[in-house]
Amino acid sequence: MRVLLVHPSALMYSEIFLRLEPLGLERVAGAARQAGHEVRVVDLQVLGRSHLAREVRSFRPEALGISLNYLANVPEAIDLAAAVKRAVPGCFVFLGGHSVSFVAEDVLEQAAGAVDAVVRGEGEPAIAPLLAAVRDGGVDGVPGIVTASGRGPAPLMLHGIDSPLPARDLMRNRRRYFIGELDPCASVEFTRGCPWDCSFCSAWTFYGRSYRKATPEAAAEDLARIREPNVFIVDDVAFIRPEHGDAIAAEIERRGIRKRYYLETRSDVLLRHPEVFERWARLGLRYMFLGMEALDAEGLDLFRKRISPDENLRALEAARRLGIQVAVNLIVDPAWDEERFRIVREFALSVPEIVHFTVMTPYPGTEIWHTESRRLTTRDYRLFDIQHAVVPTTLPLERFYEELVRTQAVINRKHLGPRTAYRAARVLGRNLLRGQTNFARMLWKFHSVYHPRRQLADHGRPVRYELPLPQPVDVGDRRRLYVHTRAAPPARSRDAGD
C-alpha cells in the first residue's frame, strides 16, 4: 500500500527553543516499510502545508496516518484528515500517538467521518496488522484500534525497543531539527517508559508504568547511523539503571562514536549515579534537562515528585561540577499571585542554570485530569499546550499572562538576545558556517512569540473542537488510567526453587 505519515505543525514552545525530529513517527514508518508498504513522511514542523498538498496529489496515498502526541494539534489533524479525504476519497485515515490515545472516541466523533480509526498505544506493533486489515478487511479486530464501532482488542506493546529502526532517510529538511545551540540535532531512544507516577504526567499511565531498555549494541548501532553531530536522548528519565548507561557508553567508546548529547533525567537519579553522568560527560554530554517542577516541599508533594528541594539543589551542584549545563523546569500554578511570581523570578536570576516555565495543565491521561478540583475555563484543544492557563487564575487572566511573560523573560535576559550572541559567538559562528540558522534565529525570537496580548487573544478564537469533560475515575486503582496493561506474572509455587 501507499502510506503517507504526517507530523503536525510546531507548537508555541517549539517556535523558539527546540524543534525535535519525530522519532516515533520514523519508527512507525520503519515498521510499515518492513511490512512491505511504500511509505512517505511529511513533517509540518519543517515543511509547509503546500508541500503536503503536492505530496497528496502526486502520491495518492491509500492510507494516511497523522501523529498526535500533543493535544493542541487535534484541530489541525482533523482538518488535515478532512482535506485528504476530499482530495483522495478512498484514502483510509487514522490517527495515533500519545495524547490521542486517551481521547480516541471523542476525536473520532468530532472528526465526523474524516477519520476512520485511532490507534491507541504504541504504533510500531499496530501499524502492520492495521494496514493488512485495511487491505483485507477486519479493521475492528486489530489490537489497539478504535473505530466508530468501538474499541477492538487491547493494544499490543513491544517486547523490546531495538526494532524497528527509525526510517530517518524518509525525512526532508533534517537540518531544521535542533535543541538550543545543538544545531542540527537528531534524536535517539535508549529506554521507554517511566516507573515514577507524577500526578501531572501521562508517561506512566500510557505505558502502564512499564520500563524497557534497548540493548547496548542496538543503541550504539542506531547512534552510528546518525549523521548529525548532536543527539537528543528522548528517554523520559535517562540512566535509571546505571549499568545500562555504562554498557551503552562502553559500546560508544569501542566504536569511537563522537557526538554532543542532551538528555532528561531526575535529580535523584543524578545524585545516586554521578559516575555514569561523569562518563557520559567525557563522551560529549553537554546539556541536561531536570524537571524540578517546584521550589518547595509542598509543591513537590502536590506533584508527587518523591524528591526534596534539597536534593534538587544538590543535583544542580553535581551537574555544575561535571561541567554539564542544566535547564530547569518549574510548573507555574494558575493560582500564583504577584508575590509568588516575584519569588520565582528571584530564584531564576540567582542560579546560573536556564529556567523554563510551563503552566500547570490537567491533561487527559494524567491523574490531575480526574482529581483537579478547579473547573476548566476552556476545553479548546489548542490551549492545552502548557503555555496557556486552562483552569481559573487567581490574578485576572490578562494580568496572569503579564506576570508569566515577565517571568519567562528571565530566560531572555540571561540566556538569549545580543548578550548571549556575544558569549556564544564561537558556537554561533560555527553553526552559521555550516548553514545552520536555528540557534541564531532563537536568540532574537522571544518577544515575537511570547506576548501577553497574544496569549490572551488565543482565548478569544472561535472553537470548533473541544476536549471531552473529565469522567469520574477511581484513581485508587491506577490500572484504570493505563493505556497499556501488562498481564500479571504467573504465581510461583511454594517449592519452586525456594
Side-chain angles (χ1 to χ4, degrees):
M1 292 181 69
R2 296 185 303 278
V3 182
L4 179 61
L5 300 177
V6 177
H7 189 287
S9 306
L11 300 181
M12 184 176 177
Y13 188 83
S14 300
E15 290 184 46
I16 299 182
F17 303 110
L18 52 82
R19 190 181 302 112
L20 297 180
E21 172 184 10
L23 187 62
L25 198 63
E26 291 172 350
R27 287 178 60 104
V28 171
R33 195 161 61 176
Q34 215 171 59
H37 301 283
E38 183 182 357
V39 184
R40 295 188 186 179
V41 181
V42 173
D43 182 1
L44 293 176
Q45 295 181 110
V46 300
L47 297 169
R49 290 284 285 270
S50 60
H51 184 100
L52 175 60
R54 289 195 301 271
E55 195 75 73
V56 169
R57 284 196 301 270
S58 63
F59 188 48
R60 305 294 293 178
E62 296 167 273
L64 171 79
I66 304 174
S67 173
L68 273 176
N69 284 324
Y70 305 108
L71 275 180
N73 287 132
V74 166
E76 178 188 10
I78 294 176
D79 289 344
L80 288 174
V84 172
K85 280 284 193 184
R86 289 192 295 270
V88 188
C91 183
F92 182 89
V93 177
F94 62 98
L95 311 177
H98 185 103
S99 286
V100 77
S101 291
F102 295 103
V103 290
E105 288 86 355
D106 298 278
V107 172
L108 276 171
E109 183 178 348
Q110 291 164 344
V115 175
D116 297 294
V118 172
V119 179
R120 294 183 72 244
E122 294 184 332
E124 300 100 326
I127 187 68
L130 173 62
L131 295 176
V134 171
R135 182 188 60 221
D136 303 330
V139 168
D140 292 345
V142 177
I145 301 305
V146 184
T147 67
S149 303
R151 291 190 182 186
L156 300 175
M157 178 183 278
L158 288 174
H159 293 296
I161 62 171
D162 286 358
S163 64
L165 289 171
R168 292 191 173 92
D169 60 294
L170 295 179
M171 309 307 295
R172 280 157 283 188
N173 280 12
R174 289 190 60 85
R175 297 170 67 87
R176 297 286 303 280
Y177 300 125
F178 78 103
I179 179 168
E181 70 175 51
L182 298 187
D183 179 14
C185 188
S187 295
V188 73
E189 182 179 40
F190 294 159
T191 65
R192 185 176 293 189
C194 180
W196 281 273
D197 60 350
C198 299
S199 62
F200 62 89
C201 181
S202 58
W204 63 278
T205 59
F206 183 86
Y207 294 116
R209 295 190 78 174
S210 65
Y211 181 74
R212 287 156 292 163
K213 300 173 290 186
T215 62
E217 296 77 15
E221 177 61 27
D222 194 21
L223 269 177
R225 288 157 44 95
I226 291 173
R227 304 175 108 184
E228 287 82 358
N230 309 301
V231 176
F232 177 53
I233 301 169
V234 304
D235 304 14
D236 291 305
V237 183
F239 307 147
I240 295 174
R241 302 282 183 252
E243 67 281 2
H244 185 241
D246 272 330
I248 297 174
E251 276 293 310
I252 291 171
E253 290 164 352
R254 186 180 68 81
R255 292 168 176 251
I257 298 170
R258 296 300 302 173
K259 304 285 186 185
R260 292 194 303 168
Y261 300 98
Y262 193 125
L263 58 75
E264 300 184 24
T265 195
R266 286 173 54 101
S267 296
D268 46 0
V269 173
L270 171 59
L271 292 173
R272 281 199 298 269
H273 311 301
E275 71 286 351
V276 179
F277 293 91
E278 183 178 8
R279 185 175 188 177
W280 274 84
R282 293 195 298 269
L283 288 175
L285 175 59
R286 296 291 178 266
Y287 297 92
M288 176 186 298
F289 183 90
L290 288 176
M292 285 178 57
E293 321 307 359
L295 298 179
D296 55 24
E298 182 182 4
L300 292 169
D301 289 343
L302 177 66
F303 298 134
R304 204 164 53 235
K305 285 291 292 185
R306 305 186 191 280
I307 200 168
S308 70
D310 179 64
E311 286 176 295
N312 276 331
L313 295 177
R314 287 193 291 116
L316 295 182
E317 293 172 0
R320 291 169 198 155
R321 287 194 297 271
L322 295 174
I324 301 171
Q325 186 168 338
V326 175
V328 169
N329 186 68
L330 295 177
I331 297 177
V332 175
D333 193 317
W336 284 7
D337 57 14
E338 285 102 335
E339 177 63 13
R340 186 61 183 171
F341 275 111
R342 184 191 66 78
I343 291 170
V344 171
R345 280 195 295 271
E346 286 186 357
F347 167 79
L349 288 168
S350 70
V351 296
E353 285 75 23
I354 300 166
V355 181
H356 290 295
F357 300 96
T358 55
V359 180
M360 191 282 292
T361 305
Y363 281 104
T366 64
E367 190 170 307
I368 59 173
W369 173 250
H370 300 285
T371 60
E372 171 59 50
S373 59
R374 291 170 285 188
R375 60 180 176 82
L376 296 174
T377 55
T378 177
R379 290 192 285 135
D380 183 350
Y381 285 103
R382 297 167 298 180
L383 298 181
F384 282 72
D385 64 351
I386 63 175
Q387 300 301 308
H388 291 83
V390 298
V391 299
T393 55
T394 295
L395 298 170
L397 188 58
E398 183 175 10
R399 183 71 186 131
F400 173 82
Y401 282 131
E402 288 171 356
E403 287 290 326
L404 175 63
V405 172
R406 183 182 174 194
T407 305
Q408 288 167 322
V410 168
I411 307 169
N412 190 54
R413 289 199 299 273
K414 284 178 56 179
H415 304 289
L416 305 178
R419 185 184 303 176
T420 293
Y422 178 78
R423 289 200 307 265
R426 183 179 300 176
V427 173
L428 194 60
R430 184 177 65 232
N431 288 350
L432 290 174
L433 283 173
R434 293 199 308 264
Q436 291 299 131
T437 60
N438 299 304
F439 178 55
R441 293 172 186 273
M442 182 186 83
L443 296 178
W444 282 277
K445 284 186 72 174
F446 181 86
H447 293 294
S448 65
V449 174
Y450 285 96
H451 197 285
R453 285 197 293 274
R454 172 188 171 178
Q455 285 165 281
L456 185 66
D458 288 341
H459 289 260
R461 294 178 295 182
V463 180
R464 291 177 60 197
Y465 308 109
E466 287 189 315
L467 267 169
L469 287 169
Q471 297 300 310
V473 170
D474 177 13
V475 295
D477 181 1
R478 301 290 182 78
R479 291 168 300 182
R480 298 189 66 184
L481 301 175
Y482 295 172
V483 170
H484 283 286
T485 56
R486 294 170 292 168
R492 294 180 61 194
S493 168
R494 287 186 178 180
D495 58 355
D498 290 337

